[in-house]
Amino acid sequence: MHRPHIRTVAVAVAVATAATGLAGTALALPGAGPDSAAAATTAAAAPVVEAARAAAFAHASQTGVGQGDDLRAQDVMLDPEGARHVRFIRTHQGMPVLGGDLVVHLDHGLAYTGVTRAAGHDVEPAATKAKLTPQQAAAKAASVAKGDAGTAHLVVDARGGASALAYQVQVTGSATTEAGGSRTVVVDALTGKVRSNTPDSDEFLSPKLIETLRERGETLNPATDNSPPSSGLTAAGSTAVSYPRTVTGSGSSLFVGTVSLTTTQTARTSFLLKDPTRYGTETRDAKNKLLENFSKGTKITSTTDKWGNGSVSSRTSAAVDAQYGITKTLDFYKKTFGRKGIANNSRGAQAMVHFGNKIANAFWDPTCNCMLYGDGDGTMFKKPLVALDVTGHELTHGVVEATAGLEPTYVDADGNQYGEPGSLNESLADIFGSNVEFYANNPKNPPNYLLGEKLGLAQKFLRRLDHPSLDKLEGTIDYWSSSTYYTEVHAGSGVSSHAYYLLAEGSGKKTIGGVAYNSPTYHGLSVKGIGRTKATAIFYRALTRYMVSTTDFHDARVATLKAAKDLYGASSTEYKTVDRAWAAVNVTAANTPADRH
C-alpha cells in the first residue's frame, strides 16, 4: 500500500473535459517535469494555489488549518465547468503531518466552496518536545523492522483520531519484508512505542494469500504464448540516418503474444528497450539481484529489434510483457484522463524484471519509483508475474500514491495490511487494472472484470469485480459491515470493487466478451448500470478530487456522489445510480459509523 515516508512532492495541473471528465491536458510545475513547461504552468496555477491556501486559513473551523501550519500544493486540478481543487500536504512547526493532507475546493471565481480533509481534528500535538533522541528512535525502528535504519525525522502523526509527536524512520534491508525491501517505521517521540511499521513497496500477492496457496499445494504454471516475433515490425536498416532514433520493434511475450514495441535505435544494429514516445519509459534486468535503484539495472538491448521468444528460456520475454503492460497503462491514463505519466509529471515509468532470486511476487516500489517483477519461486510460482492486469494494478498504486495517498490503518506482524483506506486502494488498483485490459483489448489477453486470470489459479482468477466473494483464496467480501475495518485489504477491496461493477454493468446475469457474470446485491436491490466509461470517469474524478489518505468506504460513497454531481448533475441518472450502487453493497448515509477509525 501507500507508504508515508518523506519525499519530494511533485505538483501537477490536471484539466479534464466537460463531456466525460475522462480526457484532458496536464502541465507540470517545477519539480514535476520538463523545465520548458514549468514557467507557463506556474503562472497558470499560482493564483489558484494562493487562493486555496488563503481560503484554508480563512475557513480554519472547516479545514482544521491553524497557527504553525504550512501548506504545500501537491496537485492543482482545473475542471472545465470552472471548479478548482488544490491538494495540499501539511507541515506543523516545520514537521510533516502524517494524515494531515487536505483538498481545498474553489469555484471558478476562486471562492471557497468546501474541503476534503484526512484529519478531522486539530493536528497540533499535546507535547512538542521529544523525550527520545533521534538515535534512540532509529535504533527502535531498526530493531522492529530488522534492518538498517536511516535518519530519524520528527513528524506529527495525526492518524487514528489524535495527534502525537513522533519520529519517522526508513529501514532498508528489512528481514521482515519480502525480498528484503524497506519499511517506514513511526516511533512515538515520548514513549518509544511503535505507532506504525509499514512496508514501502506494494506487493501484488499478500503474505496471507501466499500462505493459503502453500497450504493448498497449488502450483501456478500459466501457459505462455510461444509464437515467434513477426518479421514485419522490425526497423530495417537504412542510409543517411542519425542515432539515437525512435523505431518500432517486435516482442514475443509470455502472456500477450507478439506485440509491437516502440524502442530506441542507438546504432545500425543496436537497439534499446526504451520508449522515447512515452517519456523514456524503460525496462531493465535486475540480474536476480535485490535492486531498488533503477540506474543499477542492466539495460536490455538487441541487435535486431526483436525481443523475447514467448518462453522463459529467453530472459527478454518477461521484459516484453513488462514494457508492453507499462506502456499500455500509460496510454490508458493519458488517453482516458489526460494524465501524463503515473505522477502526472510527464516522466516515464520504469521496470526491472528478474528481480531477486526466486521471488514469487511483483511490486510497485516508490523507493525505486518503478515496477519490480520476480521470476517466481520455481516451486509454487513457475513464471514471472508480468501479466497485463498485474502491471495495471500495481502502477495504479503509483497513481493513488501521487493523488489521495490512501494508506492501510495497521499492519500485522506477518506484513498483512488492514483498514478500509487500504482496501479502497487495492480496489482502485483492481478497477483501473481491469480498465487497462479493456483499453489494450488484446486478443491474447481478452478484457474482463477478473483480476489475475492469467496466473493459473485453480479458481481461474484471483479476484473478480462482479461477485467478489467467489474468490475463496483471499476470502474477499461482497458487502460492507462493521467488521470490514478488520478485514485484510485485498479481501476488503471487494466492497468498492463490487460497487464499481454495479455502477458500470448493473446487477444480475450478464455475458460480456464471452465471460459470464452474475452480480448479487445486498437485500436483492436491483441496479441498472450506466456503462463502464461513465463509471470509470466518476471513480477517477472521485480519487483525484475528493479522496484523501484516510478515505474509507462511506467517504468513498460521498466522493463518488460529488464526482457524479460534477460530471452529470445532482438530478442525473448517473448520480442516482452511484447512490444505488453503494446501497447495493450496504454502504449508505444511514449506516455511516460514528467511529471512523
Side-chain angles (χ1 to χ4, degrees):
M1 300 310 306
H2 171 75
R3 282 66 40 196
H5 59 279
I6 300 169
R7 66 188 194 282
T8 302
V9 176
V11 185
V13 179
V15 185
T17 62
T20 64
L22 289 179
T25 304
L27 301 174
L29 288 180
D35 292 340
S36 60
T41 311
T42 302
V48 180
V49 172
E50 289 310 310
R53 183 179 286 112
F57 283 94
H59 297 271
S61 61
Q62 296 178 48
T63 65
V65 177
Q67 187 174 4
D69 288 349
D70 186 33
L71 300 178
R72 201 158 44 140
Q74 182 179 10
D75 281 302
V76 182
M77 292 150 284
L78 314 178
D79 295 341
E81 66 273 17
R84 279 83 176 98
H85 315 265
V86 182
R87 185 181 297 277
F88 289 108
I89 59 172
R90 180 176 1 192
T91 60
H92 181 74
Q93 302 296 350
M95 297 177 289
V97 180
L98 309 182
D101 51 301
L102 65 156
V103 183
V104 176
H105 310 292
L106 309 172
D107 66 15
H108 69 282
L110 303 186
Y112 173 81
T113 59
V115 66
T116 305
R117 52 190 283 200
H121 54 275
D122 186 355
V123 303
E124 183 174 5
T128 57
K129 187 173 181 180
K131 292 184 179 180
L132 267 68
T133 66
Q135 294 77 15
Q136 289 172 322
K140 179 73 171 183
S143 174
V144 297
K146 300 187 183 341
D148 300 318
T151 303
H153 300 274
L154 274 174
V155 298
V156 176
D157 188 358
R159 301 169 299 176
S163 297
L165 189 66
Y167 286 103
Q168 188 178 56
V169 188
Q170 188 174 47
V171 179
T172 57
S174 171
T176 64
T177 302
E178 185 173 8
S182 60
R183 299 181 77 90
T184 296
V185 182
V186 178
V187 180
D188 194 290
L190 302 180
T191 66
K193 177 184 176 181
V194 175
R195 299 180 64 86
S196 63
N197 177 6
T198 310
D200 287 338
S201 61
D202 177 89
E203 51 197 18
F204 185 70
L205 304 174
S206 68
K208 189 175 183 180
L209 172 61
I210 292 174
E211 182 59 31
T212 298
L213 291 169
R214 287 200 178 107
E215 290 175 355
R216 293 188 175 204
E218 282 205 42
T219 299
L220 282 67
N221 190 20
T224 56
D225 185 284
N226 290 295
S227 58
S230 167
S231 59
L233 295 173
T234 58
S238 60
T239 59
V241 297
S242 60
Y243 306 106
R245 66 172 187 157
T246 302
V247 291
T248 301
S250 173
S252 188
S253 70
L254 295 177
F255 295 112
V256 290
T258 300
V259 294
S260 173
L261 295 172
T262 302
T263 60
T264 302
Q265 186 176 12
T266 56
R268 190 176 66 85
T269 59
S270 180
F271 302 86
L272 177 65
L273 194 57
K274 182 176 182 177
D275 188 340
T277 68
R278 295 174 176 89
Y279 322 111
T281 289
E282 183 180 1
T283 298
R284 293 187 177 183
D285 190 335
K287 293 291 185 180
N288 300 110
K289 297 177 182 177
L290 295 175
L291 294 181
E292 286 190 281
N293 186 333
F294 182 76
S295 66
K296 294 183 179 179
T298 300
K299 295 180 180 180
I300 299 175
T301 59
S302 168
T303 60
T304 63
D305 212 8
K306 296 180 181 180
W307 310 85
N309 64 1
S311 166
V312 293
S313 63
S314 168
R315 292 181 70 84
T316 308
S317 297
V320 172
D321 282 279
Q323 185 77 355
Y324 174 82
I326 291 169
T327 55
K328 286 301 180 184
T329 302
L330 291 174
D331 288 353
F332 160 72
Y333 276 106
K334 184 177 181 180
K335 299 288 178 62
T336 312
F337 308 119
R339 190 175 189 85
K340 296 183 177 180
I342 298 305
N344 202 20
N345 59 2
S346 297
R347 293 182 179 176
Q350 301 169 330
M352 284 194 285
V353 291
H354 310 300
F355 173 73
N357 183 29
K358 296 185 176 181
I359 301 298
N361 223 324
F363 311 84
W364 163 252
D365 190 332
T367 302
C368 171
N369 194 33
C370 62
M371 282 292 305
L372 303 174
Y373 298 93
D375 284 333
D377 58 8
T379 304
M380 184 169 63
F381 291 93
K382 301 286 188 179
K383 298 206 171 63
L385 272 72
V386 289
L388 178 60
D389 58 4
V390 173
T391 295
H393 172 105
E394 289 300 322
L395 286 177
T396 296
H397 283 307
V399 173
V400 173
E401 180 184 28
T403 54
L406 293 159
E407 301 177 1
T409 47
Y410 67 99
V411 183
D412 70 17
D414 296 320
N416 295 295
Q417 303 178 34
Y418 298 83
E420 290 186 22
S423 293
L424 183 59
N425 193 338
E426 289 298 332
S427 170
L428 291 167
D430 281 355
I431 288 167
F432 293 115
S434 292
N435 270 274
V436 169
E437 280 192 349
F438 280 102
Y439 174 83
N441 197 24
N442 187 306
K444 295 287 186 179
N445 193 141
N448 50 54
Y449 290 104
L450 312 179
L451 268 292
E453 73 273 13
K454 286 278 190 176
L455 297 182
L457 292 161
Q459 68 180 22
K460 307 300 183 184
F461 55 86
L462 178 56
R463 289 183 295 277
R464 58 188 298 155
L465 278 59
D466 67 314
H467 194 166
S469 64
L470 292 180
D471 166 26
K472 304 303 181 183
L473 289 169
E474 296 174 301
T476 305
I477 58 177
D478 291 328
Y479 312 118
W480 180 85
S481 72
S482 59
S483 64
T484 302
Y485 172 75
Y486 304 100
T487 305
E488 191 274 331
V489 293
H490 295 85
S493 70
V495 174
S496 47
S497 292
H498 194 190
Y500 167 83
Y501 175 87
L502 289 167
L503 178 62
E505 302 292 351
S507 56
K509 294 182 179 180
K510 180 176 286 193
T511 299
I512 306 169
V515 178
Y517 302 97
N518 189 3
S519 191
T521 61
Y522 195 74
H523 287 329
L525 183 68
S526 64
V527 180
K528 183 178 180 181
I530 61 172
R532 183 171 48 82
T533 298
K534 289 181 177 180
T536 305
I538 290 168
F539 268 69
Y540 181 78
R541 178 170 285 226
L543 166 65
T544 54
R545 273 79 165 165
Y546 299 113
M547 293 185 186
V548 290
S549 60
T550 58
T551 297
D552 61 19
F553 290 132
H554 284 81
D555 294 328
R557 171 186 170 273
V558 173
T560 50
L561 283 169
K562 288 180 177 178
K565 179 181 177 182
D566 289 349
L567 294 170
Y568 307 108
S571 61
S572 66
T573 297
E574 291 82 359
Y575 182 93
K576 294 173 183 175
T577 307
V578 168
D579 191 44
R580 194 169 181 87
W582 283 107
V585 298
N586 196 35
V587 176
T588 67
N591 66 12
T592 302
D595 179 6
R596 306 300 289 276
H597 301 286

